[in-house]
Amino acid sequence: MKIALIGATGFVGSKILAEALRRGHHVTAIVRRTQRIAPHRNLKVVQADVLRGDELAGLLAGHDVVISSYNPARGVPGPEVFHRHVRGHRAIIAAAKKSGVRRFLAVGGAASLKTPAGVEFLDSPEFPAAFEPFKPGIRGTRELYYLLKKEPGLDWVFVAPSVMIVPGQRTGRFRLGTDHVLYDEKGKSHISLQDYAVAMMNEAEHPKHHHERITVGY
């Protein structure tokens, strides 16, 4: 499979890249800084600005699937981060449509998932106070889900992790959900980066979801 991976050096994107190469796929890594990626026989690394739509569309063309892990410094506080997210997501969606690649998988977040009370996690009392400074970036990722819902021409899936996504083990054992936060038997909502990448690549290889959000958790 030929995969175009936007944001392949990031917190999540780097794990998706490792998983894709582990499975023998050919990956075009579209990044801002090419020196951060080690060479691999199945890897082509391209430096690009996602806001240059025609250039990006040309890079995406000819692939079987586009995976977007675009994240313009989500961990940086400040309202401008939200607008940077939205500009980037809009440009990436437009480029994907222009490229002719219909299958589009997006790295999402838990913000839009519903709590047991039916409230989106970002707007619920369960949202951790420690994350408050980073709300603009988290809102930006949520906005990607809203934008994709308006794109019937793309065969998209918004893959939301659980509330906590951190480095851990690649177990291959997890649950999939759709609209609600997944909790384990102890009431914790979590997934390792490695298992999130497994879930993403499973969906890339064997499409089971279309025009919808899914979530991954233990």
Side-chain angles (χ1 to χ4, degrees):
M1 180 183 292
K2 295 177 65 178
I3 299 169
L5 175 58
I6 300 169
T9 59
F11 183 64
V12 180
S14 60
K15 298 300 186 293
I16 296 172
L17 175 61
E19 183 65 25
L21 294 176
R22 173 183 180 141
R23 298 185 186 207
H25 298 296
H26 294 264
V27 181
T28 299
I30 299 170
V31 299
R32 285 172 287 189
R33 291 180 291 276
T34 59
Q35 65 271 23
R36 295 176 61 182
I37 297 186
H40 187 283
R41 65 182 181 278
N42 286 351
L43 177 63
K44 177 183 179 182
V45 183
V46 181
Q47 185 176 29
D49 181 349
V50 300
L51 298 180
R52 296 179 177 175
D54 290 343
E55 177 185 345
L56 181 60
L59 294 174
L60 300 181
H63 291 84
D64 299 303
V65 60
V66 174
I67 301 177
S68 179
S69 186
Y70 175 72
N71 185 345
R74 188 185 71 179
V76 178
E80 175 57 23
V81 175
F82 171 77
H83 300 294
R84 288 167 63 186
H85 265 272
V86 175
R87 284 194 300 269
H89 293 322
R90 287 186 186 278
I92 290 167
I93 290 170
K97 291 164 63 177
K98 189 172 184 178
S99 75
V101 182
R102 292 196 67 248
R103 187 66 170 164
F104 184 90
L105 304 182
V107 172
S112 68
L113 297 173
K114 300 292 184 63
T115 68
V119 180
E120 287 194 352
F121 180 74
L122 181 61
D123 303 322
S124 75
E126 295 182 36
F127 186 78
F131 291 177
E132 282 291 331
F134 308 109
K135 255 189 175 179
I138 295 170
R139 283 179 54 233
T141 302
R142 180 175 68 172
E143 192 69 19
L144 174 57
Y145 173 57
Y146 298 156
L147 291 172
L148 287 172
K149 291 205 297 182
K150 300 175 184 177
E151 295 294 342
L154 281 179
D155 184 10
W156 61 268
V157 184
F158 182 90
V159 186
S162 289
V163 172
M164 298 301 299
I165 176 169
V166 295
Q169 294 184 338
R170 181 188 185 277
T171 70
R173 298 187 300 273
F174 46 79
R175 294 179 294 146
L176 296 180
T178 52
D179 294 326
H180 290 80
V181 178
L182 293 176
Y183 298 93
D184 65 14
E185 65 278 1
K186 297 180 180 179
K188 184 178 179 181
S189 177
H190 63 123
I191 188 71
S192 73
L193 282 164
Q194 288 81 355
D195 276 342
Y196 177 88
V198 170
M200 178 68 81
M201 287 308 306
N202 286 353
E203 183 63 30
E205 291 179 341
H206 307 288
K208 295 182 178 179
H209 302 89
H210 307 273
H211 305 102
E212 62 182 318
R213 168 185 54 199
I214 61 173
T215 185
V216 188
Y218 294 128

